[in-house]
mmCIF file of all heavy atoms in Angstrom:
data_model
loop_
_atom_site.group_PDB
_atom_site.id
_atom_site.type_symbol
_atom_site.label_atom_id
_atom_site.label_comp_id
_atom_site.label_asym_id
_atom_site.label_seq_id
_atom_site.Cartn_x
_atom_site.Cartn_y
_atom_site.Cartn_z
ATOM 1 N N THR A 29 6.860 21.374 6.531
ATOM 2 C CA THR A 29 5.941 20.709 5.764
ATOM 3 C C THR A 29 6.285 20.879 4.341
ATOM 4 O O THR A 29 6.379 22.093 3.874
ATOM 5 C CB THR A 29 4.489 21.274 5.954
ATOM 6 O OG1 THR A 29 4.133 21.074 7.323
ATOM 7 C CG2 THR A 29 3.416 20.509 5.148
ATOM 8 N N VAL A 30 6.623 19.923 3.588
ATOM 9 C CA VAL A 30 7.091 19.941 2.173
ATOM 10 C C VAL A 30 6.332 19.022 1.329
ATOM 11 O O VAL A 30 6.293 17.827 1.609
ATOM 12 C CB VAL A 30 8.545 19.586 2.144
ATOM 13 C CG1 VAL A 30 9.123 19.686 0.785
ATOM 14 C CG2 VAL A 30 9.410 20.496 3.087
ATOM 15 N N TRP A 31 5.768 19.579 0.329
ATOM 16 C CA TRP A 31 5.081 18.746 -0.663
ATOM 17 C C TRP A 31 5.829 18.874 -2.023
ATOM 18 O O TRP A 31 5.949 19.912 -2.629
ATOM 19 C CB TRP A 31 3.596 19.234 -0.913
ATOM 20 C CG TRP A 31 2.647 19.015 0.235
ATOM 21 C CD1 TRP A 31 3.022 18.538 1.424
ATOM 22 C CD2 TRP A 31 1.359 19.338 0.356
ATOM 23 N NE1 TRP A 31 1.898 18.426 2.244
ATOM 24 C CE2 TRP A 31 0.861 18.933 1.513
ATOM 25 C CE3 TRP A 31 0.524 19.945 -0.630
ATOM 26 C CZ2 TRP A 31 -0.430 19.152 1.927
ATOM 27 C CZ3 TRP A 31 -0.864 20.152 -0.260
ATOM 28 C CH2 TRP A 31 -1.294 19.766 1.065
ATOM 29 N N ILE A 32 6.298 17.642 -2.478
ATOM 30 C CA ILE A 32 7.032 17.633 -3.740
ATOM 31 C C ILE A 32 6.428 16.488 -4.607
ATOM 32 O O ILE A 32 5.912 15.497 -4.108
ATOM 33 C CB ILE A 32 8.529 17.411 -3.526
ATOM 34 C CG1 ILE A 32 8.809 16.212 -2.688
ATOM 35 C CG2 ILE A 32 9.168 18.672 -3.054
ATOM 36 C CD1 ILE A 32 10.290 15.790 -2.690
ATOM 37 N N GLU A 33 6.591 16.683 -5.909
ATOM 38 C CA GLU A 33 6.097 15.616 -6.845
ATOM 39 C C GLU A 33 6.868 15.794 -8.118
ATOM 40 O O GLU A 33 7.461 16.887 -8.396
ATOM 41 C CB GLU A 33 4.666 15.782 -7.103
ATOM 42 C CG GLU A 33 4.356 17.029 -7.807
ATOM 43 C CD GLU A 33 2.810 17.259 -8.053
ATOM 44 O OE1 GLU A 33 2.039 16.370 -7.678
ATOM 45 O OE2 GLU A 33 2.487 18.249 -8.705
ATOM 46 N N VAL A 34 6.867 14.808 -8.913
ATOM 47 C CA VAL A 34 7.331 14.874 -10.230
ATOM 48 C C VAL A 34 6.158 15.060 -11.201
ATOM 49 O O VAL A 34 5.205 14.244 -11.132
ATOM 50 C CB VAL A 34 8.124 13.658 -10.724
ATOM 51 C CG1 VAL A 34 8.519 13.768 -12.169
ATOM 52 C CG2 VAL A 34 9.485 13.596 -9.874
ATOM 53 N N ASP A 35 6.026 16.279 -11.813
ATOM 54 C CA ASP A 35 4.828 16.602 -12.555
ATOM 55 C C ASP A 35 4.798 15.884 -13.923
ATOM 56 O O ASP A 35 5.766 15.211 -14.339
ATOM 57 C CB ASP A 35 4.702 18.139 -12.668
ATOM 58 C CG ASP A 35 5.793 18.740 -13.539
ATOM 59 O OD1 ASP A 35 6.477 18.187 -14.192
ATOM 60 O OD2 ASP A 35 5.798 20.107 -13.486
ATOM 61 N N SER A 36 3.782 16.246 -14.726
ATOM 62 C CA SER A 36 3.588 15.627 -16.008
ATOM 63 C C SER A 36 4.612 16.035 -16.945
ATOM 64 O O SER A 36 4.827 15.243 -18.033
ATOM 65 C CB SER A 36 2.229 16.004 -16.595
ATOM 66 O OG SER A 36 2.093 17.380 -16.752
ATOM 67 N N ALA A 37 5.388 17.105 -16.874
ATOM 68 C CA ALA A 37 6.522 17.425 -17.701
ATOM 69 C C ALA A 37 7.726 16.731 -17.230
ATOM 70 O O ALA A 37 8.849 16.873 -17.924
ATOM 71 C CB ALA A 37 6.699 18.866 -17.748
ATOM 72 N N GLY A 38 7.790 15.958 -16.174
ATOM 73 C CA GLY A 38 8.976 15.305 -15.647
ATOM 74 C C GLY A 38 9.824 16.238 -14.728
ATOM 75 O O GLY A 38 11.037 15.912 -14.597
ATOM 76 N N TYR A 39 9.229 17.274 -14.335
ATOM 77 C CA TYR A 39 9.958 18.262 -13.530
ATOM 78 C C TYR A 39 9.639 17.906 -11.991
ATOM 79 O O TYR A 39 8.587 17.535 -11.586
ATOM 80 C CB TYR A 39 9.548 19.754 -13.750
ATOM 81 C CG TYR A 39 9.846 20.180 -15.167
ATOM 82 C CD1 TYR A 39 9.224 21.288 -15.754
ATOM 83 C CD2 TYR A 39 10.868 19.481 -15.890
ATOM 84 C CE1 TYR A 39 9.566 21.735 -16.938
ATOM 85 C CE2 TYR A 39 11.184 19.979 -17.171
ATOM 86 C CZ TYR A 39 10.536 21.083 -17.709
ATOM 87 O OH TYR A 39 10.804 21.535 -18.928
ATOM 88 N N LEU A 40 10.661 18.231 -11.179
ATOM 89 C CA LEU A 40 10.434 18.179 -9.723
ATOM 90 C C LEU A 40 9.739 19.448 -9.293
ATOM 91 O O LEU A 40 10.337 20.490 -9.313
ATOM 92 C CB LEU A 40 11.798 17.926 -8.909
ATOM 93 C CG LEU A 40 11.730 17.933 -7.436
ATOM 94 C CD1 LEU A 40 10.824 16.716 -6.956
ATOM 95 C CD2 LEU A 40 13.137 17.828 -6.845
ATOM 96 N N ALA A 41 8.425 19.351 -8.851
ATOM 97 C CA ALA A 41 7.668 20.418 -8.599
ATOM 98 C C ALA A 41 7.614 20.561 -6.987
ATOM 99 O O ALA A 41 7.224 19.554 -6.346
ATOM 100 C CB ALA A 41 6.289 20.377 -9.153
ATOM 101 N N LEU A 42 7.999 21.788 -6.443
ATOM 102 C CA LEU A 42 7.831 22.087 -5.062
ATOM 103 C C LEU A 42 6.450 22.700 -4.914
ATOM 104 O O LEU A 42 6.310 23.901 -5.353
ATOM 105 C CB LEU A 42 8.885 22.962 -4.534
ATOM 106 C CG LEU A 42 8.804 23.458 -3.089
ATOM 107 C CD1 LEU A 42 8.727 22.320 -2.140
ATOM 108 C CD2 LEU A 42 9.931 24.348 -2.863
ATOM 109 N N SER A 43 5.455 22.058 -4.435
ATOM 110 C CA SER A 43 4.097 22.567 -4.312
ATOM 111 C C SER A 43 3.863 23.352 -3.065
ATOM 112 O O SER A 43 3.138 24.279 -3.057
ATOM 113 C CB SER A 43 3.031 21.427 -4.335
ATOM 114 O OG SER A 43 3.191 20.710 -5.551
ATOM 115 N N LYS A 44 4.650 22.902 -2.026
ATOM 116 C CA LYS A 44 4.356 23.618 -0.694
ATOM 117 C C LYS A 44 5.648 23.454 0.166
ATOM 118 O O LYS A 44 6.161 22.331 0.239
ATOM 119 C CB LYS A 44 3.224 23.011 0.001
ATOM 120 C CG LYS A 44 2.853 23.664 1.350
ATOM 121 C CD LYS A 44 1.751 23.023 2.119
ATOM 122 C CE LYS A 44 0.450 23.372 1.616
ATOM 123 N NZ LYS A 44 -0.661 22.888 2.498
ATOM 124 N N ILE A 45 6.049 24.438 0.806
ATOM 125 C CA ILE A 45 7.064 24.403 1.818
ATOM 126 C C ILE A 45 6.531 25.370 2.919
ATOM 127 O O ILE A 45 6.453 26.518 2.681
ATOM 128 C CB ILE A 45 8.386 24.703 1.351
ATOM 129 C CG1 ILE A 45 9.454 24.636 2.434
ATOM 130 C CG2 ILE A 45 8.567 26.018 0.643
ATOM 131 C CD1 ILE A 45 10.911 24.711 2.038
ATOM 132 N N VAL A 46 6.259 24.821 4.125
ATOM 133 C CA VAL A 46 5.837 25.607 5.184
ATOM 134 C C VAL A 46 6.742 25.486 6.493
ATOM 135 O O VAL A 46 6.986 24.296 6.844
ATOM 136 C CB VAL A 46 4.393 25.273 5.549
ATOM 137 C CG1 VAL A 46 3.878 26.137 6.725
ATOM 138 C CG2 VAL A 46 3.433 25.367 4.428
ATOM 139 N N ILE A 47 7.354 26.566 6.888
ATOM 140 C CA ILE A 47 8.088 26.561 8.062
ATOM 141 C C ILE A 47 7.325 27.273 9.214
ATOM 142 O O ILE A 47 6.880 28.389 8.916
ATOM 143 C CB ILE A 47 9.433 27.296 7.821
ATOM 144 C CG1 ILE A 47 10.156 26.856 6.575
ATOM 145 C CG2 ILE A 47 10.369 27.217 9.143
ATOM 146 C CD1 ILE A 47 10.490 25.323 6.584
ATOM 147 N N PRO A 48 7.144 26.660 10.329
ATOM 148 C CA PRO A 48 6.485 27.361 11.391
ATOM 149 C C PRO A 48 6.948 28.802 11.690
ATOM 150 O O PRO A 48 8.188 28.954 11.642
ATOM 151 C CB PRO A 48 6.490 26.452 12.604
ATOM 152 C CG PRO A 48 6.738 25.154 11.964
ATOM 153 C CD PRO A 48 7.583 25.354 10.772
ATOM 154 N N ALA A 49 6.047 29.748 11.917
ATOM 155 C CA ALA A 49 6.515 31.159 12.150
ATOM 156 C C ALA A 49 7.633 31.287 13.072
ATOM 157 O O ALA A 49 8.575 32.038 12.823
ATOM 158 C CB ALA A 49 5.279 31.987 12.543
ATOM 159 N N GLY A 50 7.615 30.562 14.238
ATOM 160 C CA GLY A 50 8.657 30.667 15.206
ATOM 161 C C GLY A 50 9.972 30.106 14.803
ATOM 162 O O GLY A 50 10.969 30.419 15.530
ATOM 163 N N LEU A 51 10.025 29.361 13.735
ATOM 164 C CA LEU A 51 11.318 28.839 13.189
ATOM 165 C C LEU A 51 11.864 29.398 11.978
ATOM 166 O O LEU A 51 12.867 28.979 11.511
ATOM 167 C CB LEU A 51 11.065 27.265 13.028
ATOM 168 C CG LEU A 51 10.763 26.467 14.325
ATOM 169 C CD1 LEU A 51 10.436 24.996 13.927
ATOM 170 C CD2 LEU A 51 11.890 26.567 15.220
ATOM 171 N N ARG A 52 11.098 30.421 11.475
ATOM 172 C CA ARG A 52 11.591 31.011 10.311
ATOM 173 C C ARG A 52 12.855 31.922 10.485
ATOM 174 O O ARG A 52 13.101 32.279 11.594
ATOM 175 C CB ARG A 52 10.495 31.949 9.647
ATOM 176 C CG ARG A 52 9.340 31.177 9.125
ATOM 177 C CD ARG A 52 8.284 32.019 8.585
ATOM 178 N NE ARG A 52 7.055 31.230 8.278
ATOM 179 C CZ ARG A 52 5.847 31.555 8.202
ATOM 180 N NH1 ARG A 52 5.684 32.859 8.402
ATOM 181 N NH2 ARG A 52 4.860 30.709 8.039
ATOM 182 N N ARG A 53 13.686 31.975 9.416
ATOM 183 C CA ARG A 53 14.960 32.735 9.510
ATOM 184 C C ARG A 53 15.968 32.036 10.366
ATOM 185 O O ARG A 53 16.807 32.718 10.941
ATOM 186 C CB ARG A 53 14.722 34.252 9.883
ATOM 187 C CG ARG A 53 13.848 34.981 8.937
ATOM 188 C CD ARG A 53 13.863 36.491 9.213
ATOM 189 N NE ARG A 53 12.998 37.132 8.285
ATOM 190 C CZ ARG A 53 13.407 37.610 7.121
ATOM 191 N NH1 ARG A 53 14.566 37.499 6.709
ATOM 192 N NH2 ARG A 53 12.584 38.248 6.358
ATOM 193 N N GLN A 54 15.806 30.748 10.459
ATOM 194 C CA GLN A 54 16.784 29.939 11.189
ATOM 195 C C GLN A 54 17.507 28.947 10.415
ATOM 196 O O GLN A 54 18.130 27.976 10.974
ATOM 197 C CB GLN A 54 16.083 29.305 12.496
ATOM 198 C CG GLN A 54 15.551 30.328 13.524
ATOM 199 C CD GLN A 54 14.916 29.603 14.785
ATOM 200 O OE1 GLN A 54 15.188 28.457 15.030
ATOM 201 N NE2 GLN A 54 13.968 30.338 15.316
ATOM 202 N N GLY A 55 17.216 28.957 9.149
ATOM 203 C CA GLY A 55 17.965 28.050 8.160
ATOM 204 C C GLY A 55 17.132 26.824 7.929
ATOM 205 O O GLY A 55 17.621 25.932 7.096
ATOM 206 N N VAL A 56 15.985 26.627 8.450
ATOM 207 C CA VAL A 56 15.269 25.422 8.049
ATOM 208 C C VAL A 56 14.848 25.315 6.631
ATOM 209 O O VAL A 56 15.060 24.227 5.981
ATOM 210 C CB VAL A 56 13.935 25.266 9.026
ATOM 211 C CG1 VAL A 56 13.070 24.087 8.597
ATOM 212 C CG2 VAL A 56 14.274 25.289 10.539
ATOM 213 N N GLY A 57 14.291 26.407 6.074
ATOM 214 C CA GLY A 57 13.873 26.383 4.696
ATOM 215 C C GLY A 57 15.159 26.197 3.797
ATOM 216 O O GLY A 57 15.139 25.463 2.695
ATOM 217 N N SER A 58 16.339 26.781 4.167
ATOM 218 C CA SER A 58 17.526 26.595 3.367
ATOM 219 C C SER A 58 18.032 25.215 3.453
ATOM 220 O O SER A 58 18.504 24.699 2.411
ATOM 221 C CB SER A 58 18.610 27.493 3.982
ATOM 222 O OG SER A 58 18.317 28.892 3.671
#
Side-chain angles (χ1 to χ4, degrees):
T29 300
V30 180
W31 290 3
I32 55 175
E33 66 183 1
V34 174
D35 68 11
S36 61
Y39 297 162
L40 178 60
L42 174 60
S43 301
K44 181 188 278 190
I45 179 171
V46 181
I47 309 301
L51 296 174
R52 292 181 189 155
R53 298 191 181 268
Q54 295 181 26
V56 176
S58 292

